[in-house]
Amino acid sequence: MKRKITLKDIARELDVSISTVSKALKNSEEIGRDTKDKIQAFAKLYNYKPNNIAISLKNKRTRNIGVIIPDIVHHFFTTVFRGIEHYANDKGYNVIVCVSDESFNKEVINMEMLANGSIDGFIMALAGETQLKNDYNHLRVVTEQGIPLVLFDRVTDEIQCDKVIINDETAAYEVVKKLIKAGRKRIALITTEGYLNVSAKRADGYYRALKEHNITVDKKLVLHLPYQQMDETKSKKFFKDNKVDAVLCVNEIFAVKCMGIAQKLGHRIPEDIAFVGFTDGILSHFATPSLTSVDQHGEIMGETAAQMLIDKIERDHENEEEEVFETKIITATLIERASTPEF
């Protein structure tokens, strides 16, 4: 099905601002007759139809924010939501949360359900299946109608909007560098499928640290696990077949479960194998031994995302020639615990 033409398409084709197109289609006296006629004729030629749901969402303030997260299993997403709700409530906004369960279809349905005039904007992290399909048209429809959207953690360059991320690549690089300085040479990476952008960036940091210290990259020391469940058979085989002295995991669930597997195979932690995981959640605190973690500062990320969204909602963009989008990067922090030697 042919994609509907948007305000942004008309602006690009006629080399004018989105604001000018919007005003011309509303027959505003601020726009000259020649420009107005040209824009209106172009819109009629290409059968431009305004997105009434999006217009309703833009023009009616509900003081509600829609949040879509991929799951509620990972502690990180719950901390982000807590930060969003804390900041939004302080500003007089309510928060409606939906869970996509890593499903593209559920993400689309959630967005359509919320975009019925009941919210003022969206905050979301992309579902794993959305990144796998690389299909962001449901986001594009909203953003091209001027509806505020902030992506956090799992983001894409395909969509122009505000974003909040951590320094994933650098954080992983610094962890591996510390492990190398502590004398570890056989450092494994336990990660998800590469289409998840955060996992790919953390893998980049892992590879960079090894290469800078002249350690040959051994592909056998990189274990890819499904992001939605733990494959214990695959993990057991990995630790049986490979000699490793340190492991970097892209999330704490992988880290804690793999620590348990390594211990059952007779490995001492951290004497034989050191473990580090991303996300400083409850599991990290209560694992045995306690897990050294990369704190992603989920609450700060949530507060930052909420601030960016509410600023956009409350700012009048009608007179802006071109909207400016920002990506804010939060610096992760390494929390050292008993699963690693003293760095």
Side-chain angles (χ1 to χ4, degrees):
M1 187 171 67
K2 190 175 180 181
R3 185 169 70 86
K4 292 179 180 178
I5 193 169
T6 66
L7 292 178
K8 184 176 284 187
D9 295 327
I10 299 172
R12 183 170 51 246
E13 289 297 324
L14 299 181
D15 195 25
V16 295
S17 72
I18 295 172
S19 176
T20 297
V21 174
S22 177
K23 290 176 182 178
L25 294 177
K26 293 174 185 174
N27 214 27
S28 170
E29 295 301 322
E30 296 179 44
I31 307 301
R33 173 49 56 189
D34 289 346
T35 301
K36 195 186 301 184
D37 288 346
K38 181 171 65 173
I39 290 171
Q40 291 177 355
F42 188 93
K44 185 176 181 179
L45 176 65
Y46 286 94
N47 197 29
Y48 168 76
K49 295 248 188 305
N51 184 324
N52 291 328
I53 290 177
I55 290 172
S56 171
L57 178 58
K58 183 178 180 183
N59 292 339
K60 294 180 182 178
R61 293 281 174 82
T62 65
R63 302 197 74 80
N64 293 329
I65 290 172
V67 176
I68 304 175
I69 59 176
D71 66 55
I72 54 174
V73 174
H74 288 85
H75 180 75
F76 169 70
F77 292 117
T78 62
T79 60
V80 174
F81 176 70
R82 190 181 303 131
I84 293 170
E85 190 172 47
H86 179 263
Y87 185 89
N89 289 169
D90 282 352
K91 294 294 183 179
Y93 284 77
N94 299 309
V95 180
I96 303 170
V97 63
C98 294
V99 182
S100 68
D101 285 328
E102 302 288 9
S103 162
F104 169 79
N105 288 336
K106 281 196 72 174
E107 182 175 284
V108 173
I109 290 168
N110 286 338
M111 205 162 197
E112 289 178 349
M113 178 184 69
L114 292 172
N116 62 0
S118 63
I119 61 168
D120 294 335
F122 290 97
I123 298 174
M124 62 187 293
L126 298 170
E129 198 173 54
T130 301
Q131 291 194 293
L132 174 61
K133 290 169 69 72
N134 199 34
D135 184 346
Y136 307 109
N137 194 55
H138 54 302
L139 304 182
R140 198 169 283 113
V141 167
V142 168
T143 58
E144 289 185 348
Q145 294 295 335
I147 308 307
L149 167 68
V150 178
L151 292 177
F152 72 89
D153 189 53
R154 298 185 190 174
V155 304
T156 175
D157 292 334
E158 296 293 318
I159 298 296
Q160 286 190 310
C161 66
D162 291 320
K163 295 159 191 168
V164 190
I165 58 175
I166 67 162
N167 56 335
D168 285 291
E169 195 270 351
T170 301
Y173 165 80
E174 292 294 342
V175 167
V176 176
K177 192 166 73 169
K178 283 178 177 288
L179 289 168
I180 293 170
K181 287 185 178 179
R184 307 296 164 126
K185 302 295 183 185
R186 302 275 300 169
I187 303 171
L189 173 67
I190 298 181
T191 185
T192 63
E193 292 87 344
Y195 55 79
L196 290 174
N197 71 302
V198 291
S199 296
K201 289 177 181 177
R202 291 166 194 175
D204 288 343
Y206 165 83
Y207 292 125
R208 178 159 72 97
L210 294 183
K211 289 176 182 176
E212 282 191 9
H213 290 82
N214 298 315
I215 296 176
T216 302
V217 174
D218 186 347
K219 293 292 185 181
K220 291 186 295 184
L221 297 186
V222 179
L223 175 63
H224 294 272
L225 296 175
Y227 63 86
Q228 285 185 286
Q229 67 272 341
M230 181 75 176
D231 188 335
E232 292 203 11
T233 302
K234 194 174 182 181
S235 302
K236 286 177 183 176
K237 187 176 188 311
F238 176 82
F239 283 101
K240 283 181 179 178
D241 294 349
N242 296 288
K243 180 176 176 55
V244 301
D245 56 19
V247 181
L248 171 64
C249 298
V250 297
N251 62 56
E252 70 174 357
I253 293 177
F254 285 2
V256 170
K257 288 194 173 182
C258 284
M259 278 204 308
I261 290 170
Q263 287 171 316
K264 286 179 181 178
L265 293 173
H267 298 294
R268 298 170 301 159
I269 300 171
E271 292 85 357
D272 301 328
I273 307 176
F275 276 83
V276 181
F278 274 75
T279 306
D280 183 39
I282 295 172
L283 292 178
S284 300
H285 289 260
F286 294 106
T288 304
S290 56
L291 178 66
T292 294
S293 299
V294 178
D295 189 348
Q296 297 171 248
H297 301 296
E299 287 199 43
I300 295 174
M301 181 174 284
E303 289 177 358
T304 303
Q307 180 181 12
M308 294 174 83
L309 182 67
I310 291 171
D311 284 351
K312 277 283 167 71
I313 291 169
E314 297 186 346
R315 191 182 308 141
D316 181 11
H317 292 288
E318 191 66 26
N319 295 319
E320 290 187 11
E321 287 301 299
E322 203 62 52
E323 191 168 6
V324 176
F325 300 108
E326 185 179 4
T327 296
K328 291 191 176 180
I329 302 173
I330 294 168
T331 302
T333 305
L334 184 66
I335 309 297
E336 296 183 35
R337 296 195 181 92
S339 68
T340 53
E342 290 188 11
F343 288 137

